[in-house]
Amino acid sequence: MAGSPAVAPLVALVGNPNCGKTALFNVLTGSRQKVANYAGVTVERKEGSLLTPSGLRVRLLDLPGSYSLDPLTPDEQVTADVLLGRRAGETQPDLVVCVTDATNLRQNLRLVLSLKRLGLPMVVALNMTDIARRKGILIDAVRLSAELGLPVVETIGVKADGVRALAAVLDRVTPFATARHAVPWQTPAAADIEHDQAEVRRILGAVGGERIDGVTLSDRVDAVALQPVLGPLILALILFLVFQAVFAWAQAPMDWIKLGVGAAGDWLGGVLPAGLLKDLLINGVLAGVGSVLVFLPQIVILFFFILVLEDSGYLPRAAFLLDRIMGSVGLSGRAFIPLLSSFACAIPGIMATRTIQNPRDRLATIMIAPLMTCSARLPVYALIISAFIPRRELWGGLQLQGLVLFALYVAGVVSAMAVAYVLTLAGRHRHVQALMLELPAYHWPNLRNLGIGLLQRVDIFLTRVGTIILSLMVILWALSSYPAPPPGATGPAIQYSIAGHLGAALAVLFAPIGFNWQISVALVPGLAAREVAVGALGTVYALSATGSDVSSALTPLLTRSWSLPTALSLLAWYVFAPQCLSTLATVKRETNSWRYPLIMAAYMFALAYAASWLTFRIATALS
Amino acid sequence: MVNSSDMQLTELASGRMARVVSVSAEHGAAPPEIGRRLAELGFLPGETVRIVARGLMARDPIAVRIGTGTFALRLFEAACVRVRPEQPQPA
């Protein structure tokens, strides 16, 4: 064996979607993975490293799943570009490991054949051989190797000993994987595809073991899960469970986090001398950390369900069932779960759009997710409704207050659908959108994959989104605290700060929609998160109450000092306004650019202003 | 090649086995890359197909077994595939 090279050789894992490639990658690299994006696109880049039995360090790149080197999606574009050495900032792999699903060789071998034409050193991993064996599919790996003229290794993607053989083969092949044929890539013609097909049939005939016509266990599950009436019912049940979990189960851990942060603040308050540093640490940094951590329970719960649904193979079925409904406003069937979870919080919802492969569909879903009524709007709605909407019973025991709350939810959904529809019209393609979605065989989710997937989501949120949110929170704190009120000042402290002056200036702008200066000032710190506005109103009205008492102390005060049109206008404002910097920070991270969060903020503020203006004018005219 | 029992994949009864006769974007008035991708997914002359499930609204999309894989196709995509049922279809 040659001496180990200066840079560890790069081995790329390639394969069809659903071939068990990522599970194999997880076993090979463990949790030593770096997750990032490919430069300029939102396609996820996963790299890890492993030590072969002989002690050779190898870098392993998990390329996005592809059906062909002739790309249709951005994922496939990245795979093709990296393999062909055309992607800026990426080195061409020294060795390609093509992962194939042993239960679906007829489809997978086509990719093997076209990869082989590239001339890169290559190994074929015959994956999921355990499942194949249980189905009665026995593939002669030695014969397959001879027919393909490539090394073939049998692997079981979820078991450590199932991949040891692959690591050993890397040892044999990698040191020699330097000679490369520079084969110019040509888009395969129809004749090439048919030639490959004949070749696949010949090889399958030689290596044996294929069952096509038998009714599998997956088929029996699908007979119920995709049944036109039962299928949607089961889906509704699953979605209800997910929604319930994100909404309700997360509440207790979120309360613990809030309590913990509060306790830490009390402790710091006790040990630190009064002054600037104390205020910065408690009201700036600690409050900022709290506002990041508070999202974690919802993110963990939502992604637990998404990973289970994805790993088991149900997620594409859900997309199949919802394709027609979501398609009518130009969205993908996969948009449903992100939008549903946005009712709890738009941040996990926007992160969940990663399961939407088509970038246009994904962007449209991200853009409308914050219009879903998130749980942070509830404290604001509850405050205004209890202060202004009479507690009156309508016909059939229907409460007027409840009806108004329901109307606010409906307003969010209807406007989201309208915006999605407008986006479709604006970005209309010459052709209808393709679906062509694979429905893989069901299988039990793997715990290791679940764990690694969850850790990666948490890590991405804390390190990339969390840092933006934290800095924004500290800036917002500074804006609301500086400059300090002059000695002998009578008004609330915030009134003398930059935020106070900003609010006073905004009051001019907000006068036509009925907002007084107190509301305008409260909206500035209220940019941190929607529910913060309640506390901020308490501060502006110089209430001494804190925590949950603010709301009850504010209610009679607001009833006295605001008119009904002002209150209704503020409700309309909260349906649309992007009063949540954390959401905008998440959009920035997920789209890799400031462009989309800025567009989102602009369109949502415009909608909010228009809705509030209309509400205020109509309510004033009627009263 | 022309046979009176040939039909579009969209017309095939659910659960009935058929073989692919031809795949072309022109059959379904779809963009050419759709026809090419269908071929890459395995929709090629001679392969066995069967409709596994149909959507509730307008029976769109459909889930199609091709070889050993299953794909969800919108009707305009499935219209690119012409098939011949294994036995004559009862009227």
Side-chain angles (χ1 to χ4, degrees):
Chain A
M1 192 186 120
S4 58
V7 180
L10 183 67
V11 176
L13 285 185
V14 194
N16 281 176
N18 309 305
C19 68
K21 182 169 58 66
T22 299
L24 194 64
F25 179 74
N26 284 343
V27 179
L28 283 168
T29 62
S31 51
R32 297 178 304 278
Q33 300 181 8
K34 280 183 288 182
V35 185
N37 279 342
Y38 287 94
V41 284
T42 49
V43 178
E44 210 158 74
R45 183 187 190 279
K46 285 189 186 171
E47 193 189 304
S49 85
L50 90 145
L51 219 49
T52 64
S54 77
L56 179 69
R57 174 67 59 190
V58 174
R59 288 186 298 146
L60 201 62
L61 185 63
D62 184 18
L63 286 174
S66 281
Y67 290 109
S68 136
L69 291 174
D70 188 15
L72 264 195
T73 64
D75 283 30
E76 292 184 333
Q77 184 75 53
V78 165
T79 298
D81 285 351
V82 170
L83 288 173
L84 299 172
R86 291 191 305 211
R87 184 137 203 115
E90 299 287 338
T91 46
Q92 198 172 19
D94 299 291
L95 175 74
V96 174
V97 175
C98 185
V99 185
T100 57
D101 172 0
T103 64
N104 200 5
L105 267 191
R106 181 172 286 261
Q107 180 192 307
N108 284 225
L109 278 182
R110 266 190 300 275
L111 184 65
V112 175
L113 293 177
S114 49
L115 280 170
K116 197 180 154 191
R117 276 200 287 270
L118 279 185
L120 285 173
M122 183 168 152
V123 174
V124 175
L126 192 58
N127 203 22
M128 303 202 195
T129 43
D130 52 336
I131 300 173
R133 206 162 294 136
R134 249 178 282 140
K135 284 185 173 178
I137 303 171
L138 292 168
I139 293 158
D140 184 346
V142 178
R143 185 74 195 272
L144 182 62
S145 174
E147 293 291 342
L148 288 169
L150 295 167
V152 173
V153 192
E154 287 188 60
T155 54
I156 301 167
V158 293
K159 292 220 180 91
D161 53 343
V163 299
R164 215 161 282 151
L166 179 59
V169 169
L170 294 183
D171 240 351
R172 257 194 1 250
V173 183
T174 317
F176 309 105
T178 43
R180 259 181 222 154
H181 311 276
V183 181
W185 170 248
Q186 280 174 335
T187 307
D192 293 323
I193 297 176
E194 296 203 6
H195 170 266
D196 280 0
Q197 188 62 9
E199 186 69 2
V200 166
R201 285 199 195 119
R202 189 186 63 77
I203 295 173
L204 280 176
V207 303
E210 195 196 30
R211 276 175 33 171
I212 290 186
D213 301 339
V215 174
T216 61
L217 186 62
S218 272
D219 288 340
R220 265 174 265 157
V221 178
D222 273 343
V224 179
L226 298 184
Q227 207 269 339
V229 180
L230 275 178
L233 275 179
I234 294 170
L235 176 64
L237 205 72
I238 291 174
L239 292 177
F240 177 75
L241 183 73
V242 173
F243 180 61
Q244 192 61 30
V246 174
F247 210 80
W249 300 358
Q251 201 51 55
M254 284 167 82
D255 290 342
W256 299 334
I257 290 172
K258 283 181 196 157
L259 277 177
V261 171
D266 289 345
W267 177 77
L268 266 181
V271 295
L272 286 178
L276 205 68
L277 181 70
K278 176 177 167 178
D279 198 30
L280 167 70
L281 283 181
I282 296 175
N283 295 322
V285 178
L286 199 62
V289 170
S291 63
V292 172
L293 289 182
V294 82
F295 293 119
L296 268 189
Q298 289 185 337
I299 289 176
V300 169
I301 292 175
L302 175 64
F303 274 96
F304 169 79
F305 280 102
I306 287 182
L307 289 168
V308 167
L309 291 178
E310 197 167 34
D311 211 15
S312 64
Y314 187 75
L315 207 57
R317 267 115 181 147
F320 170 84
L321 290 170
L322 292 166
D323 183 67
R324 185 78 189 187
I325 299 174
M326 302 302 282
S328 62
V329 289
L331 291 171
S332 136
R334 291 188 173 222
F336 206 78
I337 286 181
L339 291 180
L340 186 82
S341 36
S342 297
F343 278 104
C345 176
I347 288 154
I350 288 167
M351 288 177 72
T353 60
R354 280 173 187 250
T355 50
I356 304 172
Q357 279 135 352
N358 182 305
R360 267 172 16 96
D361 289 358
R362 178 162 178 240
L363 197 58
T365 311
I366 288 177
M367 287 309 234
I368 63 168
L371 286 174
M372 301 293 141
T373 303
C374 66
S375 52
R377 282 176 173 99
L378 276 179
V380 182
Y381 287 171
L383 173 71
I384 302 176
I385 287 177
S386 67
F388 289 95
I389 307 297
R391 189 180 279 280
R392 187 165 6 119
E393 200 165 298
L394 305 174
W395 5 261
L398 211 62
Q399 290 289 333
L400 181 60
Q401 292 189 333
L403 196 66
V404 171
L405 186 65
F406 182 70
L408 291 169
Y409 271 85
V410 172
V413 174
V414 169
S415 51
M417 294 302 130
V419 171
Y421 188 67
V422 170
L423 284 177
T424 326
L425 292 184
R428 195 188 270 296
H429 266 208
R430 280 179 301 124
H431 302 298
V432 242
Q433 281 283 307
L435 177 65
M436 294 196 280
L437 179 69
E438 185 166 7
L439 307 177
Y442 289 102
H443 54 86
W444 290 109
N446 173 257
L447 272 181
R448 176 201 298 264
N449 291 335
L450 259 179
I452 290 180
L454 268 184
L455 277 180
Q456 281 170 353
R457 289 306 131 212
V458 169
D459 182 55
I460 286 172
F461 178 73
L462 287 184
T463 58
R464 300 191 221 160
V465 185
T467 45
I468 307 183
I469 297 179
L470 180 58
S471 11
L472 289 173
M473 293 303 145
V474 173
I475 292 172
L476 219 47
W477 164 82
L479 287 180
S480 313
S481 325
Y482 285 98
T490 49
I494 191 174
Q495 202 183 329
Y496 304 93
S497 68
I498 300 176
H501 291 294
L502 225 70
L506 282 175
V508 182
L509 195 66
F510 284 147
I513 60 173
F515 293 180
N516 54 24
W517 72 263
Q518 287 95 336
I519 298 179
S520 307
V521 172
L523 285 183
V524 178
L527 276 176
R530 291 182 173 88
E531 76 271 22
V532 171
V534 175
L537 276 173
T539 315
V540 178
Y541 279 106
L543 285 178
S544 51
T546 52
S548 57
D549 301 335
V550 176
S551 202
S552 46
L554 259 179
T555 309
L557 199 94
L558 296 187
T559 316
R560 280 199 309 273
S561 51
W562 294 359
S563 68
L564 179 65
T566 291
L568 294 179
S569 169
L570 190 59
L571 279 180
W573 176 264
Y574 264 91
V575 172
F576 299 103
Q579 292 276 131
C580 177
L581 287 175
S582 308
T583 300
L584 295 173
T586 310
V587 174
K588 196 263 158 193
R589 264 305 151 194
E590 292 294 311
T591 60
N592 245 337
S593 103
W594 278 110
R595 191 172 160 215
Y596 297 105
L598 288 176
I599 292 177
M600 174 183 276
Y603 103 79
M604 290 182 75
F605 272 129
L607 274 184
Y609 196 89
S612 290
W613 190 84
L614 274 177
T615 309
F616 185 66
R617 294 291 137 183
I618 293 171
T620 311
L622 289 179
S623 60
Chain B
M1 265 314 257
V2 179
N3 186 306
S4 58
S5 66
D6 289 1
M7 54 173 76
Q8 283 189 341
L9 175 55
T10 51
E11 299 165 316
L12 187 68
S14 295
R16 194 182 162 86
M17 297 288 296
R19 279 187 191 274
V20 176
V21 177
S22 64
V23 180
S24 165
E26 284 148 33
H27 294 331
E33 69 266 21
I34 301 278
R36 206 170 61 224
R37 176 47 58 103
L38 283 168
E40 285 166 346
L41 296 180
F43 289 89
L44 286 159
E47 297 290 317
T48 55
V49 284
R50 171 163 65 89
I51 293 182
V52 179
R54 283 176 183 271
L56 178 61
M57 291 165 71
R59 300 163 79 69
D60 185 19
I62 57 175
V64 184
R65 170 69 43 84
I66 175 80
T68 42
T70 311
F71 287 89
L73 302 180
R74 292 198 175 137
L75 289 182
F76 84 95
E77 294 162 338
C80 300
V81 183
R82 284 197 74 79
V83 300
R84 183 173 304 161
E86 289 286 64
Q87 295 117 33
Q89 203 156 17

